[in-house]
Amino acid sequence: MSERNGKGRILLALTGWEPKVWIEELRKAAPDRSVTLEPNGEADPDIDYAIVWKQPPGLLSKLPNLKAIFSLGAGVDHVFADTSLPDVPIVRVVSANLTTRMSEYVVWQVLDHHRLGPRYRAQQANHVWHEDRDQKAAADITVGIMGLGELGRDAAAKLRVMGFNVSGWSRTQKQVDGVTCHAGGAGLDPFLASADIFVVLLPLTPETEEILNRDLFLRMSKRGPLGAPVIINAGRGGLQNEADILSALEEGLLSAVTLDVFQQEPLDPKSEFWTHPKVTLTPHAAAASMPMSLIEPMVRQMDAYERGEPLINLVDRTAGY
Ligand code: NDP
Ligand code: OXD
C-alpha cells in the first residue's frame, strides 16, 4: 500500500461519463484518500485502486502498484475490452439499489408487452378506439429469463409476484424458487420452447456474443398466447445481431422487442430501430450506475481489504463475468 496515511490511492478513469459527480462522491466517502482523475495518474506508482468505466486501453497496465480494479458497472465487458489488463482482482457492481431498478425496468417492459402497450399507443396516436377483448392474464404467459444471476433472479421473483410463470437459463444449473431452471447448451432448447417473453440479462462474453440471432429466434416457442416471442434485452448490445432482429420482426419470427442496449452506443441517429413500430427503445437506462449507491460500498471494500479481509463480488476472469 502506498505510504502517506496508509490509505490506498485511487485513480478514476471514465469514458463517456461526466466525472464531476463521481469525484465529489469519492471525496465524501474517502476524505482521507488521494483521488486522481485519469489521465493525470498515468504511470503513477502510488496508485493502488482504479475505479473504471471504459478505461482507456493500456492505462491500467502502466500502474506498477495497482492492487485491484473496481468496475463501475455490473457488466465488465468494458473492462475486458482492454487486452493488456494487469493480473489483479476485478470487483464488479452488485448493489441492491441497482438490482431493484433493473427489476422495475423488467416488470415495466414485460407488463407493457403483456398489456399491449405498443398497440394502444399507436391507436392513441391515430385516434383509434379499439378494445382488444381477448385479454390474457399474467398466468397465461411464461417469461423466460436468460441469465439467472444477481439481476435475473430478482426480476424472476418480482415477475412471480405479478402472477407470471417464469423459466430461466444460466451457464451452470441453478435452483430458484418458483422458476423452472435450465442450464448450458443442453438446456437451451427446452428453455427456448418454454417461454413467450424473453428477458435477456446475460453478460457479454465470447460465449454469449450475438447469441440473439436468427437461429435462436427460430428455436423459440411460437405457441404462446402472443403468437410470436417478444425479446427484452437489457444485458448488452453485443449480445444481439441487429440485422437478424430487424428481419425477424419483418418476418413475424419475433412479435416485438424492447432494446435498452445496442452494438453501438449512442445509437446511430439513422438507425431503423428509432422508428420501427415493433421496437421500444431506451438509451441504456435500464439501471444506471448511481454514484450515491456505488461509491461508498467500494470505499468500504478498500478499507476492509486494507484490514486484511478478502475482496467480494469478484469477477471470474476465466468465465469473463
Ligand atoms: P451475474 O454475473 O450475476 O449473472 C450473469 C448470469 O448470466 C448468470 O446466471 C450466468 O450463469 C449467466 N451466463 C453467463 N454466461 C452464460 C452462458 N454462456 N450461457 C448461459 N448463461 C450464462 O450478472 P448480473 O445479473 O449482475 O448482470 C447481468 C448483466 O446485466 C451484466 O453483465 C450487464 O451486461 C447487464 N447490465 C445492464 C444494465 C443496464 O442498465 N442495461 C445495468 C446492469 C447490468 P451462472 O449463474 O451459471 O454463472
Ligand atoms: C452495468 C451497466 O453494467 O450499467 O452496470 O450497464
Side-chain angles (χ1 to χ4, degrees), residues 106 110 142-146 167 188 190-201 212 216-217 219-222 226 228-234 254 256 258:
V106 169
V110 168
T142 300
V143 181
I145 303 190
M146 300 184 78
S167 61
L188 185 55
F191 167 73
L192 294 173
S194 72
D196 310 301
I197 298 177
F198 291 86
V199 172
V200 185
L201 289 170
L212 302 176
L216 193 95
F217 307 151
R219 291 152 72 191
M220 287 173 162
S221 162
K222 313 281 179 298
L226 301 175
V230 171
I231 293 181
I232 298 168
N233 182 12
L254 296 176
T258 290

Side-chain angles (χ1 to χ4, degrees), residues 25-235:
E25 204 59 36
L26 269 165
R27 295 216 195 291
K28 234 190 288 167
D32 48 356
R33 290 178 188 273
S34 144
V35 179
T36 307
L37 182 64
E38 185 274 331
N40 299 329
E42 183 159 304
D44 184 342
D46 283 342
I47 298 293
D48 298 284
Y49 308 111
I51 299 184
V52 304
W53 177 254
K54 299 184 182 168
Q55 78 280 1
L59 170 81
L60 302 181
S61 62
K62 290 191 203 135
L63 303 173
N65 287 314
L66 191 67
K67 309 286 185 302
I69 300 164
F70 287 77
S71 162
L72 281 178
V76 289
D77 47 300
H78 68 101
V79 180
F80 286 118
D82 177 353
T83 51
S84 66
L85 275 188
D87 188 16
V88 298
I90 304 169
V91 177
R92 72 182 192 97
V93 167
V94 175
S95 148
N97 174 293
L98 182 135
T99 301
T100 301
R101 282 179 289 113
M102 179 59 87
S103 292
E104 289 168 6
Y105 182 89
V106 169
V107 171
W108 168 39
Q109 287 305 313
V110 168
L111 284 174
D112 193 50
H113 289 288
H114 168 54
R115 297 307 308 264
L116 310 179
R119 185 186 304 176
Y120 289 136
R121 282 192 291 279
Q123 287 186 190
Q124 182 178 352
N126 293 307
H127 300 206
V128 172
W129 185 273
H130 172 73
E131 184 192 356
D132 198 310
R133 301 293 302 175
D134 185 21
Q135 205 167 75
K136 303 283 186 275
D140 298 323
I141 305 286
T142 300
V143 181
I145 303 190
M146 300 184 78
L148 286 174
E150 295 291 335
L151 303 181
R153 289 195 307 273
D154 193 70
K158 285 165 184 168
L159 289 165
R160 291 282 301 138
V161 170
M162 296 301 305
F164 290 100
N165 306 297
V166 181
S167 61
W169 183 66
S170 51
R171 191 168 61 90
T172 56
Q173 189 63 47
K174 294 281 167 291
Q175 283 205 326
V176 182
D177 262 3
V179 177
T180 309
C181 295
H182 306 270
L188 185 55
D189 277 325
F191 167 73
L192 294 173
S194 72
D196 310 301
I197 298 177
F198 291 86
V199 172
V200 185
L201 289 170
L202 289 168
L204 176 60
T205 68
E207 275 187 41
T208 61
E209 198 175 342
E210 295 205 5
I211 188 169
L212 302 176
N213 60 37
R214 183 179 171 78
D215 172 58
L216 193 95
F217 307 151
L218 284 167
R219 291 152 72 191
M220 287 173 162
S221 162
K222 313 281 179 298
R223 290 185 306 274
L226 301 175
V230 171
I231 293 181
I232 298 168
N233 182 12

